[in-house]
Amino acid sequence: MTGKVLLVDGYNVIRLTPPYRDLADDDEMDAARAALVADVAAYAADEFDATVVFDGGNNPLSTGEPHEMLGVTVIFSAWGVEADAVIENRASAAKARGDDVVVVTSDAQTQWAVMGGSVTRRSSGEFAAELRANEAEWREHAPSGSARLRIEDAIDPAVRTTLDRWARGLR
C-alpha cells in the first residue's frame, strides 16, 4: 500500500510567495514560518504525510531533529546540511517505499534531483496559488477548526522558545 507524501521547501516558499513573503519582508520570519506550517497542516489534512523543511545548515545549534507541529513534521536541517539535501533524501526514501511524493520547491537543482517515477514537483508559486484558490475548502480541515490558527498557540512555549533560538543561531 502506498502513501502520499508532501515535502515543502519552507524558506523557498516563504521567499517567493505572498502572504509569507510579506510577513518575512516585515521582519516577521517567525510569523511567516508559523503561517506556512499552519497552512500546510490544513492543506494536507488526512491526505498527505506532510513535512516542511527549513534550512538550518548555517546554524551550529541545528541538529536536524524533526518536530511534530499541527500534524506536520517540521525540520530545520542540521548544521552543515542544506534543506535541499534533506528534501532530496526524504523524497528518495519515500519513492523507494512506493509512496506518491509531491515536492514543493522552485529550486532547479532540487527539482531535477527529485523528478521522475512517483515524485511530482510543484513550484512554490503553483503551490501558493493552489492554497489561495482552494483555501475555503481546505481551511475547514484546519487543526483548530479556525482560519486564525497560530502555530505559536499549538506548541509548548518552551519548545517554541528553543526553536526560535535555534532559528536565530543562539544557544
Side-chain angles (χ1 to χ4, degrees), residues 86-100:
V86 174
I87 291 167
E88 291 167 15
N89 289 339
R90 286 184 162 254
S92 293
K95 182 177 174 181
R97 288 190 308 267
D99 292 338
D100 291 325

Side-chain angles (χ1 to χ4, degrees), residues 13-27 29 32:
V13 174
I14 287 172
R15 281 193 316 270
L16 297 176
T17 58
Y20 317 110
R21 179 184 59 216
D22 300 335
L23 288 168
D25 287 348
D26 290 337
D27 290 328
M29 186 57 77

Side-chain angles (χ1 to χ4, degrees), residues 1-7 49 51 75 84-103 113-114 116 118-119:
M1 180 174 185
T2 63
K4 292 176 78 175
V5 174
L6 176 65
L7 298 168
D49 177 12
T51 301
I75 301 172
D84 296 341
V86 174
I87 291 167
E88 291 167 15
N89 289 339
R90 286 184 162 254
S92 293
K95 182 177 174 181
R97 288 190 308 267
D99 292 338
D100 291 325
V101 183
V102 176
V103 174
V114 302
S118 62
V119 179

Side-chain angles (χ1 to χ4, degrees), residues 101-139:
V101 183
V102 176
V103 174
V104 177
T105 186
S106 292
D107 182 277
Q109 184 175 351
T110 302
Q111 290 174 16
W112 284 109
V114 302
M115 286 176 58
S118 62
V119 179
T120 304
R121 193 271 321 167
R122 307 274 309 281
S123 75
S124 297
E126 289 171 331
F127 182 69
E130 183 177 341
L131 285 176
R132 300 288 79 81
N134 299 323
E135 185 171 13
E137 179 182 322
W138 58 261
R139 277 286 182 199

Side-chain angles (χ1 to χ4, degrees), residues 36-48:
L36 176 61
V37 171
D39 286 353
V40 169
Y43 176 84
D46 296 324
E47 186 175 352
F48 290 96

Side-chain angles (χ1 to χ4, degrees), residues 48-78:
F48 290 96
D49 177 12
T51 301
V52 178
V53 181
F54 295 104
D55 199 342
N58 292 325
N59 181 344
L61 299 177
S62 187
T63 64
E65 180 180 336
H67 299 277
E68 182 85 12
M69 295 180 190
L70 305 174
V72 173
T73 301
V74 177
I75 301 172
F76 285 87
S77 64

